[in-house]
Amino acid sequence: MTAEARAAASPLTERQEARRRGILQAGAQLAGRGGFEAVQMREVADAAGVALGTLYRYFPSKIHLLVAVMQDQLQHLRLTLRRRPPAGEGPAERVAETLMRAFRALQREPHLADAMMRALTFADRGVSPEVDAVSRLTTAIILDAMELEDPTQEQLSVVRVIEHTWHSALITWLSGRESIAQVKRDIETVCGLIGPAADTR
Amino acid sequence: MTAEARAAASPLTERQEARRRGILQAGAQLAGRGGFEAVQMREVADAAGVALGTLYRYFPSKIHLLVAVMQDQLQHLRLTLRRRPPAGEGPAERVAETLMRAFRALQREPHLADAMMRALTFADRGVSPEVDAVSRLTTAIILDAMELEDPTQEQLSVVRVIEHTWHSALITWLSGRESIAQVKRDIETVCGLIGPAADTR
DNA sequence: CGCTAATCTAGAACAAGTTTCAGACTTGTT
DNA sequence: AACAAGTCTGAAACTTGTTCTAGATTAGCG
């Protein structure tokens, strides 16, 4: 548990922490079974052994819940990547490899991916802080892969464009309008923006 | 045969065409006033002077309706662009100019933009044909700006990446997590993929 | 321990998207 | 003109996200 979470909201007790985790797990499980629409708040509450009102105290909407699930998944991904970092030669290759690894993980759980991505892009201003946390995590993962400490404005814009492409390509794939091969190509294409070697000229 | 297949096959009568336009206009008007959530199907039906069941016969869901509104807007945009094409020197400049013009138009109607974009990215497989039509229109607008007749696979992937960036940057702007200036920079950055003039690599 | 405030539960209630249905109206055909 | 098929209306019903309430439970504290 981070110090920020403690500072932002009043710290959760042990049982509350357990409840929160149970809710997240129930949500992820239902999402994995049937995607966004299968995550029904009454069922989540049931599966987590918690009253509906309590669920809403922890996560003020279905979108909040699914964005939190996504944050959870990204944290796992980041740890996995720390243990086995991408092995490409340049930053562009490493970012592409990182995203393709994430993509393959999502392909194994397309329903979960559907629920998370739909929630993320449908989120309105009321969920901005949470969506922003997800976005910062994604940025951090990409910057990790680039092995960049101190990005310039241009590099940050490139990273944003990569994130945009990543999100939108996933959505397009999930709705059946783009193939796995096309997503792969899109990722490789956008990674071309990173440039083959930033400081050779 | 499905209802859609029939609708696509058999042309609408005059009155039906008028009803359809009335519904689209009512939808766009409500969307312009209060965004996605302000488009309530009962109100749309009311404003269009049509029964709820009829509204659902023309547009089988709120998402379908808003995606159709978007298609309508894109068709207008394309005509406008035909009349006054972008004047940049290279394809990259012209695409950026085109997208920035569209962006400025959306800034004038942020609520409408919200309703259309949220519908577009939230659409599931059941709306794929309609979303695909919007996507093809967008692609056509970009290819128009590039003045490209016969794009290669690589060029098509670049166009897809531009579209992804365009959609996702708009969503991010609409939810208040990215500024107008950042969206502009993202557009210019991704247009860098088009390559300055003739590619020499 | 005993008190107070916060939290949790069960369940009803509400809101908006969607479905359904019986009856009225249009349209095209003979 | 008369009929059959399809379309539209008005209204109720159903679904699922969200809110609300009254009472039970828990946590922190003197």
Side-chain angles (χ1 to χ4, degrees), chain B residues 126-146:
Chain B
V127 203
S128 278
E130 288 79 5
V131 175
D132 218 50
V134 165
S135 179
R136 278 197 307 277
L137 247 177
T138 309
T139 303
I141 288 173
I142 294 174
L143 288 178
D144 281 357
M146 290 173 72

PDB file of all heavy atoms in Angstrom, chain B residues 126-146:
ATOM      1  N   GLY B 126     -21.930  -5.149 -32.054  1.00  0.00           N
ATOM      2  CA  GLY B 126     -23.236  -4.987 -32.689  1.00  0.00           C
ATOM      3  C   GLY B 126     -23.346  -3.726 -33.526  1.00  0.00           C
ATOM      4  O   GLY B 126     -24.264  -3.588 -34.326  1.00  0.00           O
ATOM      5  N   VAL B 127     -22.424  -2.797 -33.338  1.00  0.00           N
ATOM      6  CA  VAL B 127     -22.487  -1.542 -34.083  1.00  0.00           C
ATOM      7  C   VAL B 127     -21.356  -1.482 -35.102  1.00  0.00           C
ATOM      8  O   VAL B 127     -21.151  -0.467 -35.761  1.00  0.00           O
ATOM      9  CB  VAL B 127     -22.425  -0.337 -33.116  1.00  0.00           C
ATOM     10  CG1 VAL B 127     -23.034   0.906 -33.741  1.00  0.00           C
ATOM     11  CG2 VAL B 127     -23.136  -0.635 -31.816  1.00  0.00           C
ATOM     12  N   SER B 128     -20.627  -2.564 -35.238  1.00  0.00           N
ATOM     13  CA  SER B 128     -19.443  -2.563 -36.101  1.00  0.00           C
ATOM     14  C   SER B 128     -19.687  -2.013 -37.502  1.00  0.00           C
ATOM     15  O   SER B 128     -18.912  -1.174 -37.969  1.00  0.00           O
ATOM     16  CB  SER B 128     -18.859  -3.972 -36.188  1.00  0.00           C
ATOM     17  OG  SER B 128     -18.054  -4.212 -35.054  1.00  0.00           O
ATOM     18  N   PRO B 129     -20.721  -2.423 -38.178  1.00  0.00           N
ATOM     19  CA  PRO B 129     -20.889  -1.908 -39.547  1.00  0.00           C
ATOM     20  C   PRO B 129     -20.961  -0.390 -39.565  1.00  0.00           C
ATOM     21  O   PRO B 129     -20.317   0.262 -40.399  1.00  0.00           O
ATOM     22  CB  PRO B 129     -22.212  -2.531 -40.000  1.00  0.00           C
ATOM     23  CG  PRO B 129     -22.418  -3.719 -39.126  1.00  0.00           C
ATOM     24  CD  PRO B 129     -21.765  -3.395 -37.819  1.00  0.00           C
ATOM     25  N   GLU B 130     -21.731   0.167 -38.633  1.00  0.00           N
ATOM     26  CA  GLU B 130     -21.903   1.621 -38.607  1.00  0.00           C
ATOM     27  C   GLU B 130     -20.596   2.310 -38.214  1.00  0.00           C
ATOM     28  O   GLU B 130     -20.215   3.325 -38.814  1.00  0.00           O
ATOM     29  CB  GLU B 130     -23.015   1.994 -37.619  1.00  0.00           C
ATOM     30  CG  GLU B 130     -24.413   1.633 -38.101  1.00  0.00           C
ATOM     31  CD  GLU B 130     -24.749   0.154 -37.916  1.00  0.00           C
ATOM     32  OE1 GLU B 130     -23.927  -0.587 -37.331  1.00  0.00           O
ATOM     33  OE2 GLU B 130     -25.825  -0.264 -38.375  1.00  0.00           O
ATOM     34  N   VAL B 131     -19.906   1.786 -37.226  1.00  0.00           N
ATOM     35  CA  VAL B 131     -18.645   2.386 -36.824  1.00  0.00           C
ATOM     36  C   VAL B 131     -17.647   2.292 -37.965  1.00  0.00           C
ATOM     37  O   VAL B 131     -16.868   3.219 -38.218  1.00  0.00           O
ATOM     38  CB  VAL B 131     -18.090   1.705 -35.553  1.00  0.00           C
ATOM     39  CG1 VAL B 131     -16.723   2.251 -35.209  1.00  0.00           C
ATOM     40  CG2 VAL B 131     -19.048   1.907 -34.393  1.00  0.00           C
ATOM     41  N   ASP B 132     -17.700   1.179 -38.664  1.00  0.00           N
ATOM     42  CA  ASP B 132     -16.805   0.998 -39.788  1.00  0.00           C
ATOM     43  C   ASP B 132     -17.070   2.039 -40.874  1.00  0.00           C
ATOM     44  O   ASP B 132     -16.133   2.555 -41.495  1.00  0.00           O
ATOM     45  CB  ASP B 132     -16.984  -0.411 -40.359  1.00  0.00           C
ATOM     46  CG  ASP B 132     -15.668  -0.988 -40.797  1.00  0.00           C
ATOM     47  OD1 ASP B 132     -14.725  -0.939 -39.990  1.00  0.00           O
ATOM     48  OD2 ASP B 132     -15.583  -1.444 -41.952  1.00  0.00           O
ATOM     49  N   ALA B 133     -18.324   2.355 -41.083  1.00  0.00           N
ATOM     50  CA  ALA B 133     -18.643   3.383 -42.080  1.00  0.00           C
ATOM     51  C   ALA B 133     -17.998   4.706 -41.671  1.00  0.00           C
ATOM     52  O   ALA B 133     -17.423   5.410 -42.502  1.00  0.00           O
ATOM     53  CB  ALA B 133     -20.156   3.527 -42.214  1.00  0.00           C
ATOM     54  N   VAL B 134     -18.099   5.038 -40.394  1.00  0.00           N
ATOM     55  CA  VAL B 134     -17.472   6.268 -39.906  1.00  0.00           C
ATOM     56  C   VAL B 134     -15.960   6.204 -40.127  1.00  0.00           C
ATOM     57  O   VAL B 134     -15.336   7.173 -40.571  1.00  0.00           O
ATOM     58  CB  VAL B 134     -17.790   6.473 -38.409  1.00  0.00           C
ATOM     59  CG1 VAL B 134     -16.874   7.513 -37.794  1.00  0.00           C
ATOM     60  CG2 VAL B 134     -19.245   6.867 -38.238  1.00  0.00           C
ATOM     61  N   SER B 135     -15.401   5.044 -39.835  1.00  0.00           N
ATOM     62  CA  SER B 135     -13.962   4.895 -39.995  1.00  0.00           C
ATOM     63  C   SER B 135     -13.552   5.054 -41.449  1.00  0.00           C
ATOM     64  O   SER B 135     -12.552   5.720 -41.766  1.00  0.00           O
ATOM     65  CB  SER B 135     -13.548   3.526 -39.454  1.00  0.00           C
ATOM     66  OG  SER B 135     -12.168   3.344 -39.605  1.00  0.00           O
ATOM     67  N   ARG B 136     -14.325   4.466 -42.343  1.00  0.00           N
ATOM     68  CA  ARG B 136     -13.980   4.596 -43.765  1.00  0.00           C
ATOM     69  C   ARG B 136     -14.068   6.050 -44.221  1.00  0.00           C
ATOM     70  O   ARG B 136     -13.236   6.534 -44.993  1.00  0.00           O
ATOM     71  CB  ARG B 136     -14.903   3.718 -44.610  1.00  0.00           C
ATOM     72  CG  ARG B 136     -14.448   2.260 -44.646  1.00  0.00           C
ATOM     73  CD  ARG B 136     -15.114   1.511 -45.800  1.00  0.00           C
ATOM     74  NE  ARG B 136     -16.555   1.649 -45.776  1.00  0.00           N
ATOM     75  CZ  ARG B 136     -17.367   0.911 -45.029  1.00  0.00           C
ATOM     76  NH1 ARG B 136     -16.861  -0.028 -44.242  1.00  0.00           N
ATOM     77  NH2 ARG B 136     -18.674   1.112 -45.060  1.00  0.00           N
ATOM     78  N   LEU B 137     -15.071   6.755 -43.699  1.00  0.00           N
ATOM     79  CA  LEU B 137     -15.195   8.169 -44.052  1.00  0.00           C
ATOM     80  C   LEU B 137     -13.980   8.953 -43.569  1.00  0.00           C
ATOM     81  O   LEU B 137     -13.422   9.788 -44.295  1.00  0.00           O
ATOM     82  CB  LEU B 137     -16.454   8.750 -43.405  1.00  0.00           C
ATOM     83  CG  LEU B 137     -17.573   9.186 -44.322  1.00  0.00           C
ATOM     84  CD1 LEU B 137     -18.769   9.655 -43.515  1.00  0.00           C
ATOM     85  CD2 LEU B 137     -17.106  10.294 -45.252  1.00  0.00           C
ATOM     86  N   THR B 138     -13.579   8.677 -42.348  1.00  0.00           N
ATOM     87  CA  THR B 138     -12.423   9.369 -41.790  1.00  0.00           C
ATOM     88  C   THR B 138     -11.184   9.074 -42.623  1.00  0.00           C
ATOM     89  O   THR B 138     -10.413   9.982 -42.973  1.00  0.00           O
ATOM     90  CB  THR B 138     -12.192   8.934 -40.334  1.00  0.00           C
ATOM     91  OG1 THR B 138     -13.423   9.061 -39.628  1.00  0.00           O
ATOM     92  CG2 THR B 138     -11.128   9.789 -39.678  1.00  0.00           C
ATOM     93  N   THR B 139     -11.002   7.802 -42.947  1.00  0.00           N
ATOM     94  CA  THR B 139      -9.871   7.417 -43.796  1.00  0.00           C
ATOM     95  C   THR B 139      -9.913   8.174 -45.117  1.00  0.00           C
ATOM     96  O   THR B 139      -8.892   8.712 -45.575  1.00  0.00           O
ATOM     97  CB  THR B 139      -9.916   5.903 -44.075  1.00  0.00           C
ATOM     98  OG1 THR B 139      -9.909   5.208 -42.833  1.00  0.00           O
ATOM     99  CG2 THR B 139      -8.731   5.476 -44.918  1.00  0.00           C
ATOM    100  N   ALA B 140     -11.096   8.235 -45.703  1.00  0.00           N
ATOM    101  CA  ALA B 140     -11.218   8.923 -46.991  1.00  0.00           C
ATOM    102  C   ALA B 140     -10.829  10.390 -46.856  1.00  0.00           C
ATOM    103  O   ALA B 140     -10.141  10.944 -47.729  1.00  0.00           O
ATOM    104  CB  ALA B 140     -12.652   8.795 -47.506  1.00  0.00           C
ATOM    105  N   ILE B 141     -11.233  11.023 -45.764  1.00  0.00           N
ATOM    106  CA  ILE B 141     -10.906  12.431 -45.566  1.00  0.00           C
ATOM    107  C   ILE B 141      -9.390  12.618 -45.457  1.00  0.00           C
ATOM    108  O   ILE B 141      -8.820  13.537 -46.042  1.00  0.00           O
ATOM    109  CB  ILE B 141     -11.628  12.969 -44.306  1.00  0.00           C
ATOM    110  CG1 ILE B 141     -13.123  13.103 -44.604  1.00  0.00           C
ATOM    111  CG2 ILE B 141     -11.039  14.293 -43.850  1.00  0.00           C
ATOM    112  CD1 ILE B 141     -13.974  13.453 -43.407  1.00  0.00           C
ATOM    113  N   ILE B 142      -8.759  11.715 -44.749  1.00  0.00           N
ATOM    114  CA  ILE B 142      -7.307  11.820 -44.597  1.00  0.00           C
ATOM    115  C   ILE B 142      -6.612  11.561 -45.938  1.00  0.00           C
ATOM    116  O   ILE B 142      -5.691  12.289 -46.324  1.00  0.00           O
ATOM    117  CB  ILE B 142      -6.805  10.841 -43.513  1.00  0.00           C
ATOM    118  CG1 ILE B 142      -7.361  11.259 -42.151  1.00  0.00           C
ATOM    119  CG2 ILE B 142      -5.281  10.812 -43.471  1.00  0.00           C
ATOM    120  CD1 ILE B 142      -7.053  10.287 -41.040  1.00  0.00           C
ATOM    121  N   LEU B 143      -7.076  10.542 -46.645  1.00  0.00           N
ATOM    122  CA  LEU B 143      -6.457  10.254 -47.949  1.00  0.00           C
ATOM    123  C   LEU B 143      -6.685  11.415 -48.916  1.00  0.00           C
ATOM    124  O   LEU B 143      -5.793  11.759 -49.707  1.00  0.00           O
ATOM    125  CB  LEU B 143      -7.017   8.946 -48.526  1.00  0.00           C
ATOM    126  CG  LEU B 143      -6.540   7.675 -47.808  1.00  0.00           C
ATOM    127  CD1 LEU B 143      -7.177   6.437 -48.408  1.00  0.00           C
ATOM    128  CD2 LEU B 143      -5.014   7.569 -47.856  1.00  0.00           C
ATOM    129  N   ASP B 144      -7.863  12.019 -48.854  1.00  0.00           N
ATOM    130  CA  ASP B 144      -8.106  13.229 -49.651  1.00  0.00           C
ATOM    131  C   ASP B 144      -7.004  14.256 -49.381  1.00  0.00           C
ATOM    132  O   ASP B 144      -6.403  14.814 -50.309  1.00  0.00           O
ATOM    133  CB  ASP B 144      -9.450  13.865 -49.270  1.00  0.00           C
ATOM    134  CG  ASP B 144     -10.635  13.149 -49.911  1.00  0.00           C
ATOM    135  OD1 ASP B 144     -10.400  12.205 -50.694  1.00  0.00           O
ATOM    136  OD2 ASP B 144     -11.777  13.527 -49.606  1.00  0.00           O
ATOM    137  N   ALA B 145      -6.754  14.481 -48.101  1.00  0.00           N
ATOM    138  CA  ALA B 145      -5.776  15.507 -47.737  1.00  0.00           C
ATOM    139  C   ALA B 145      -4.376  15.127 -48.203  1.00  0.00           C
ATOM    140  O   ALA B 145      -3.559  15.995 -48.520  1.00  0.00           O
ATOM    141  CB  ALA B 145      -5.786  15.731 -46.222  1.00  0.00           C
ATOM    142  N   MET B 146      -4.112  13.828 -48.231  1.00  0.00           N
ATOM    143  CA  MET B 146      -2.796  13.391 -48.681  1.00  0.00           C
ATOM    144  C   MET B 146      -2.683  13.418 -50.202  1.00  0.00           C
ATOM    145  O   MET B 146      -1.592  13.296 -50.743  1.00  0.00           O
ATOM    146  CB  MET B 146      -2.499  11.977 -48.163  1.00  0.00           C
ATOM    147  CG  MET B 146      -2.282  11.929 -46.659  1.00  0.00           C
ATOM    148  SD  MET B 146      -2.121  10.234 -46.042  1.00  0.00           S
ATOM    149  CE  MET B 146      -0.509   9.804 -46.682  1.00  0.00           C
TER     150      MET B 146
END
